[in-house]
């Protein structure tokens, strides 16, 4: 790892020794996971303290970890070619969206902020997890970095994260009256309703989706030597 990543990790651990943060380094940079109740406090220190000087927040997004690491097309115990690769496990159309909605995992939703220090030319990924129970409420960072206004609105629109303290939290990409949050992993790829023209009523009407749910491109996680060796080479570089 580069020297700046090691130095940044040490400074983070030193400044936030009284907070349970998790620091990791990889080829992409440094990631710092902070508790939800320290989200704003840590962000303010990262902006104002000259040891960090993260004066810009380049992006804020949300992540849904439902079904994370679970392949829909397993490749471990089937042949390498032919139709048999998709016979077992969760292939296309082999689960229902209602089944996914019943799944519950800890730390399902995360909010991720990408920070940049122009003075030091350093980058940092800052992350916290939304509550597992009740409403998905995360404090807004708009008072620290005003540029996150539309980023937080996007995360609210697509994932349903409620940013407490945001002055104008409303949808930004989906249409008026849209139901649900389309980037959640339990949101049907075909949507919840479909539109058609009703000749009897003489107007456009909404009705439940009549298309059978189907995964057209199943998620495949490969663990053979080609990918394992490549990951090891990246970690050791």
């Amino acid at each position: 790892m580069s020297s700046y990543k090691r130095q940044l990790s040490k400074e983070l651990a030193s400044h936030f020794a009284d907070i349970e943060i998790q620091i990791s380094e990889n080829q992409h940079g440094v990631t710092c996971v902070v508790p939800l109740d320290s989200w704003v406090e840590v962000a303010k220190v990262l902006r104002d303290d000259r040891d960090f000087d993260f004066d810009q927040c380049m992006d804020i997004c949300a992540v849904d970890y439902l079904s994370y690491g679970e392949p829909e097309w397993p490749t471990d115990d089937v042949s390498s070619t032919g139709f048999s690769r998709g016979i077992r496990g969760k292939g296309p159309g082999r689960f229902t969206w209602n089944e996914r909605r019943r799944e519950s995992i800890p730390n399902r939703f995360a909010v991720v902020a990408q920070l940049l220090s122009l003075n030091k030319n350093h980058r940092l990924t800052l992350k916290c997890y939304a509550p597992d129970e009740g409403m998905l409420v995360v404090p807004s960072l708009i008072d620290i970095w005003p540029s996150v206004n539309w980023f937080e609105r996007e995360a609210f629109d697509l994932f349903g994260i409620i940013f407490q303290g945001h002055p104008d939290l409303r949808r930004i990409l989906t249409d008026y009256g849209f139901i649900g949050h389309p980037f959640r992993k339990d949101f049907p790829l075909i949507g919840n309703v479909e539109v058609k023209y009703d000749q009897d009523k003489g107007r456009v009407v909404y009705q439940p989706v009549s298309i059978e749910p189907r995964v057209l491109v199943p998620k495949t996680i490969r663990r053979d030597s080609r990918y394992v060796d490549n990951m090891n080479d990246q970690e050791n570089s």
Side-chain angles (χ1 to χ4, degrees):
M1 296 299 174
S2 64
S3 59
Y4 108 79
K5 296 177 185 178
R6 290 192 295 267
Q7 182 62 28
L8 178 56
S9 298
K10 291 180 181 179
E11 292 174 352
L12 288 168
S14 175
H15 275 73
F16 304 110
D18 56 338
I19 302 176
E20 293 185 6
I21 64 173
Q22 302 175 17
I23 305 170
S24 61
E25 302 176 29
N26 55 38
Q27 64 269 26
H28 303 296
V30 179
T31 299
C32 181
V33 182
V34 303
L36 179 62
D37 55 2
S38 301
W39 178 242
V40 175
E41 174 190 352
V42 172
K44 194 173 188 303
V45 172
L46 292 175
R47 183 197 65 177
D48 297 338
D49 196 300
R50 294 299 92 183
D51 290 337
F52 301 112
D53 204 14
F54 287 104
D55 50 346
Q56 289 197 10
C57 181
M58 306 302 295
D59 184 33
I60 281 185
C61 66
V63 181
D64 183 358
Y65 287 101
L66 182 66
S67 72
Y68 178 77
E70 297 180 3
E72 295 165 349
W73 195 334
T75 60
D76 295 335
D77 56 354
V78 293
S79 63
S80 59
T81 60
F83 182 72
S84 63
R85 295 175 66 243
I87 292 296
R88 304 172 188 173
K90 296 180 179 180
R94 289 184 171 85
F95 66 89
T96 66
W97 297 107
N98 288 331
E99 289 175 350
R100 278 198 169 177
R101 289 192 181 98
R102 288 196 294 268
E103 296 181 16
S104 177
I105 62 172
N107 294 333
R108 173 180 168 180
F109 291 98
V111 174
V112 182
Q114 303 293 342
L115 308 184
L116 171 65
S117 170
L118 293 175
N119 183 38
K120 299 178 179 293
N121 194 26
H122 290 176
R123 294 182 182 269
L124 174 67
T125 299
L126 189 67
K127 180 167 69 172
C128 76
Y129 292 99
D132 293 326
E133 299 180 357
M135 301 181 67
L136 303 176
V137 179
V138 174
S140 174
L141 299 181
I142 196 169
D143 291 335
I144 300 176
W145 295 289
S147 61
V148 306
N149 188 330
W150 283 15
F151 297 144
E152 291 183 344
R153 284 181 58 186
E154 182 184 45
F156 162 71
D157 189 0
L158 301 180
F159 290 90
I161 306 294
I162 298 175
F163 291 91
Q164 187 175 21
H166 193 287
D168 187 25
L169 193 62
R170 54 193 171 93
R171 292 185 182 271
I172 192 172
L173 293 177
T174 54
D175 200 359
Y176 299 106
F178 189 88
I179 299 175
H181 304 282
F183 273 20
R184 289 189 178 186
K185 294 299 179 65
D186 55 4
F187 187 85
L189 299 180
I190 56 177
N192 292 308
V193 295
E194 63 184 21
V195 181
K196 76 169 188 176
Y197 180 79
D198 191 307
Q199 293 184 349
D200 296 333
K201 296 181 179 180
R203 60 182 175 86
V204 174
V205 297
Y206 290 86
Q207 65 183 23
V209 174
S210 58
I211 304 174
E212 180 183 356
R214 179 175 176 83
V215 179
L216 299 179
V217 182
K219 180 174 63 177
T220 302
I221 299 177
R222 304 185 187 279
R223 299 183 177 87
D224 58 45
S225 59
R226 294 174 297 168
Y227 300 92
V228 174
D229 293 343
N230 185 40
M231 292 178 60
N232 291 335
D233 293 339
Q234 293 179 352
E235 293 176 355
N236 296 329
S237 61

